[in-house]
Amino acid sequence: MSNPYSSPDYHAPSSGRPPEVKAPAIALMVVAGIAIVVGIFSLLGDAFLLFSGAIAQLEEMNDGPGSKYQDIFIRTIWGLILIAASAYVLYGAIQMKNFTNYTAAKTAAIISVIPCLGPCCFLGIPFGIWALVVLSKPEVRDSFR
């Protein structure tokens, strides 16, 4: 009689799905998660500068042609774009790991390869290339629902 309290064997391939998909999907999830957390902290730092009055002091000391308020505005918009792109990469990586949506997985891998848009800028590029190589295999493409 087998032990009913033993953990299942997670090393066995489930229902004939290629096991090489799991590693790049997890790598993209980790990198996207890091990018989302860093982006949120960056937005919180910008909000602190605005609401604490520190940006007004920086504006008084500004000798350059641009306004510090304009810099914060542009940084905030760019930060929101990066968080949205990283959130989509996270979504696509989850879809890739679960073999549910091939289009979302491939789009997320493409987004992660775009410099300065994908998660963690240069860290997402090799993982995105790895995911694209794995997703381009016919047996992987056929295993998606």
Side-chain angles (χ1 to χ4, degrees):
M1 184 166 148
S2 66
N3 184 358
Y5 300 108
S6 65
S7 63
D9 184 19
Y10 289 109
H11 300 292
S14 60
S15 67
R17 292 183 177 161
E20 66 262 18
V21 173
K22 187 175 182 179
I26 291 174
L28 282 178
M29 285 190 280
V30 168
V31 171
I34 291 169
I36 290 169
V37 169
V38 169
I40 289 172
F41 278 124
S42 175
L43 290 178
L44 289 174
D46 289 344
F48 175 76
L49 283 175
L50 284 173
F51 296 122
S52 70
I55 193 74
Q57 293 174 353
L58 289 173
E59 187 67 32
E60 289 174 5
M61 296 184 310
N62 187 14
D63 290 337
S67 168
K68 294 295 179 186
Y69 289 104
Q70 184 181 18
D71 293 345
I72 292 287
F73 178 74
I74 291 171
R75 254 191 356 222
T76 301
I77 297 299
W78 187 247
L80 291 172
I81 291 170
L82 291 177
I83 289 173
S86 297
Y88 189 80
V89 170
L90 178 64
Y91 167 75
I94 292 170
Q95 299 299 311
M96 180 179 172
K97 185 176 175 281
N98 295 333
F99 290 91
T100 52
N101 189 342
Y102 181 78
T103 305
K106 191 154 189 178
T107 305
I110 291 169
I111 289 172
S112 68
V113 172
I114 300 172
C116 299
L117 179 64
C120 288
C121 199
F122 296 114
L123 193 57
I125 294 173
F127 295 133
I129 292 171
W130 184 18
L132 283 172
V133 168
V134 169
L135 287 170
S136 67
K137 294 181 179 179
E139 65 271 10
V140 172
R141 190 177 330 119
D142 294 340
S143 63
F144 278 82
R145 287 184 234 158

